[in-house]
Amino acid sequence: MGIEMNSKRCYILFAVAALSLISVPVFSQSLSFPVPDSSEIRKTLVDTWFEAPLSLVRQNNAEVRQNLSGIAFQVHLEESADTFAIFVSPEEMLNIDVYSSSGINTVPTKVYPGDAPGSWVLVRNKNDGSPVRIVYYFTKDSDIYLSFSPAGGRTSADMIIYGQYAAKNVPVGVSFDRFYTASFDDVLSWTGHIVPWHYAAVSKNLYHGSIQMMQVIRKNLPRIVYSEDAMYDEYGKPVYLSNGKPRQIDEKDADKLSLSSAGFVKWIVDGLVEPISGGYLKRKPLLVQTVAYMPTGFPGTMSEQYNLSFALDWTRNLAAAAFSVRQGVTYLYKDSAVDVRIEPFAAEMTAAGSQRTAGYIKDSGYAVKTLKALLYVLAATEPNYFYLGAVRQTDMKSPEVKVFNQSVVFIPYFDSTGRFACAVFRNGTETTLEDFMTKFKGCFVNLVRIETSDRFFPQ
């Protein structure tokens, strides 16, 4: 049997269930990041490296020192056109392939990456030697870091996640020179309630459902062929998405699944719904409009001729249906709280300096350029969810028209090493997040959340 979309409400249950979708940032004094500590080493470097003129710093040879735990750090200088930087970086082992006449020999080699977890960097002005900023690296991903800058006798903090400011110019009640010798635990203590550490506090063991779903989807991709206007109904029968009528499958594809962009994301959601309900989702409730256009405006006029919000409506209704099945009570989209509407960023880094970011825009979503940072935050704060995206593009024939006509699946997670990754599936194929962002540069994507599950059995 299919899943009926009735109008029954249960607001008490909804309130409790909807709250489960909301991440509440809570800082714990026990929050810690397992990064090597160079604070004891840095106490011996202030006069000769951190405050000495550039001419004297240049005379210092790169040196390796051990902390109290026996971990080696390299201290060295790097220069650019306007600034110079002193790095205090922990030792790591890197396997290097050495080619010779006898073949390839893998040799473990000591390296000191300047952006490895535990690295500390002081940037100074070349003209007068004044400090510009201090950077702490604390994750496996060097695009996530904390930066402190002097601000007229005070200190301001920035947290950067893939070029987006999760915190910007946040005042810290500690003088800048104290960061010369401050451990990362000190930094956590000073900034725990003013910097959104929950965006970066990664747990590696909460993504089993996400990884399971990702692997099952990958295993099934060879069975899928892309076909316009193609989906499977509540009985698992091939039908046209546009009218629900039966469609014939080409003989050459008899052992495959033919799916459109929208049909593909329904196939994934059906794989979560069927183990609970015993049936797949019906087509008609997924077409219910979720956007009300002003009748007098241009979008309103165009919406009378074209379905401008098809993928937006489809993904929202899919997420609401999945939520309903899991809760055992039917919710329409507007009551389901499935839209992602968080505002984790204050600004973005650009070639021209920091600029305010648009963040979430109602019925449009987020700019694609912010997607990697956004999915990182979602993976950290909502580890049990994956996301359907509806892409808003400019119509090629009518540039003034913005249309939601592409559906996509994002499964963000952290792997066993604590490194961020995101599987992206669209039109029955897998792509990288970077390639997706390049292809849809300048577009917007609206996200809806669906809870992951180990009980995932797509048709």
Side-chain angles (χ1 to χ4, degrees):
M1 291 181 63
I3 308 304
E4 294 290 347
M5 296 293 286
N6 58 54
S7 58
K8 182 180 177 182
R9 302 290 196 276
C10 182
Y11 288 107
I12 295 176
L13 179 58
F14 164 70
V16 174
L19 284 173
S20 70
L21 297 177
I22 301 172
S23 246
V24 180
V26 177
F27 173 76
S28 168
Q29 294 297 338
S30 64
L31 180 66
S32 64
F33 291 79
V35 297
D37 178 32
S38 63
S39 58
E40 291 297 324
I41 295 172
R42 284 184 268 117
K43 289 177 182 177
T44 67
L45 304 176
V46 175
D47 293 336
T48 54
W49 287 87
F50 304 160
E51 295 182 346
L54 176 59
S55 58
L56 296 181
V57 174
R58 283 172 173 160
Q59 296 177 25
N60 295 331
N61 294 323
E63 55 186 79
V64 175
R65 301 192 184 193
Q66 289 188 340
N67 67 7
L68 297 177
S69 301
I71 300 173
F73 285 78
Q74 184 190 68
V75 185
H76 74 277
L77 167 70
E78 292 186 12
E79 297 188 49
S80 63
D82 301 315
T83 61
F84 64 100
I86 296 105
F87 288 79
V88 184
S89 306
E91 177 185 290
E92 292 190 351
M93 298 302 295
L94 178 67
N95 289 327
I96 296 178
D97 291 336
V98 178
Y99 291 77
S100 66
S101 57
S102 59
I104 303 173
N105 186 29
T106 301
V107 179
T109 304
K110 295 178 181 179
V111 294
Y112 302 89
D115 54 5
S119 283
W120 180 98
V121 186
L122 168 64
V123 180
R124 299 173 59 186
N125 189 297
K126 257 189 174 178
N127 290 330
D128 58 11
S130 61
V132 177
R133 62 184 172 273
I134 288 173
V135 176
Y136 285 80
Y137 291 98
F138 56 92
T139 77
K140 293 281 187 180
D141 198 322
S142 61
D143 287 315
I144 292 92
Y145 58 90
L146 199 65
S147 177
F148 296 95
S149 304
R154 304 178 65 189
T155 305
S156 65
D158 299 331
M159 176 182 276
I160 293 89
I161 299 176
Y162 291 112
Q164 303 292 319
Y165 286 92
K168 181 166 176 56
N169 293 333
V170 177
V172 183
V174 176
S175 62
F176 184 79
D177 58 2
R178 291 188 66 184
F179 289 93
Y180 287 167
T181 58
S183 69
F184 196 67
D185 285 341
D186 292 331
V187 169
L188 284 173
S189 175
W190 297 338
T191 63
H193 295 286
I194 58 176
V195 169
W197 285 107
H198 59 294
Y199 291 169
V202 174
S203 175
K204 297 177 288 187
N205 304 311
L206 299 177
Y207 302 91
H208 189 270
S210 300
I211 294 170
Q212 172 81 358
M213 288 186 62
M214 174 183 69
Q215 291 173 342
V216 171
I217 293 170
R218 284 174 176 166
K219 183 178 179 181
N220 280 275
L221 290 182
R223 305 172 50 226
I224 297 172
V225 292
Y226 178 81
S227 180
E228 289 287 347
D229 197 22
M231 62 167 281
Y232 289 79
D233 66 12
E234 65 268 31
Y235 305 107
K237 302 297 184 182
V239 298
Y240 290 104
L241 192 153
S242 58
N243 57 27
K245 294 181 179 180
R247 61 186 173 88
Q248 296 298 315
I249 305 295
D250 289 342
E251 253 184 66
K252 63 182 177 64
D253 294 329
D255 60 341
K256 294 184 180 293
L257 293 168
S258 55
L259 295 165
S260 66
S261 178
F264 176 67
V265 295
K266 179 184 184 293
W267 171 78
I268 290 175
V269 177
D270 278 341
L272 291 169
V273 167
E274 194 276 338
I276 301 173
S277 67
Y280 302 124
L281 296 174
K282 288 188 172 183
R283 163 188 161 274
K284 192 172 181 180
L286 303 179
L287 296 169
V288 174
Q289 192 167 349
T290 65
V291 181
Y293 294 105
M294 293 291 291
T296 55
F298 181 75
T301 302
M302 294 300 297
S303 68
E304 293 178 1
Q305 306 174 49
Y306 309 101
N307 191 347
L308 304 181
S309 61
F310 166 70
L312 179 64
D313 300 333
W314 187 262
T315 53
R316 281 173 163 176
N317 290 323
L318 276 171
F323 180 64
S324 298
V325 170
R326 185 176 288 274
Q327 297 301 322
V329 177
T330 299
Y331 298 108
L332 300 180
Y333 153 71
K334 64 185 180 66
D335 298 324
S336 65
V338 294
D339 261 351
V340 175
R341 300 183 180 184
I342 64 172
E343 293 282 6
F345 307 120
E348 64 177 304
M349 300 179 74
T350 70
S354 64
Q355 295 182 359
R356 288 182 61 84
T357 186
Y360 174 77
I361 298 175
K362 183 182 177 185
D363 296 329
S364 291
Y366 300 87
V368 165
K369 63 182 177 180
T370 69
L371 199 52
K372 189 171 186 178
L374 178 66
L375 288 168
Y376 180 98
V377 168
L378 289 171
T381 57
E382 301 181 4
N384 299 316
Y385 290 88
F386 74 104
Y387 304 88
L388 302 185
V391 183
R392 194 195 75 170
Q393 297 174 272
T394 298
D395 186 83
M396 298 301 293
K397 296 179 180 178
S398 304
E400 68 276 12
V401 179
K402 309 296 182 183
V403 183
F404 283 99
N405 57 9
Q406 286 286 323
S407 303
V408 60
V409 177
F410 300 104
I411 307 180
Y413 65 99
F414 292 93
D415 65 19
S416 59
T417 69
R419 193 175 296 278
F420 173 70
C422 183
V424 182
F425 301 99
R426 187 177 69 89
N427 293 355
T429 62
E430 183 173 8
T431 186
T432 66
L433 181 57
E434 288 73 19
D435 285 349
F436 176 87
M437 293 173 67
T438 299
K439 180 176 180 62
F440 293 102
K441 182 179 180 181
C443 297
F444 277 73
V445 59
N446 189 83
L447 299 178
V448 289
R449 52 169 68 82
I450 302 177
E451 193 168 351
T452 60
S453 175
D454 291 337
R455 297 182 63 200
F456 175 60
F457 303 103
Q459 180 180 347

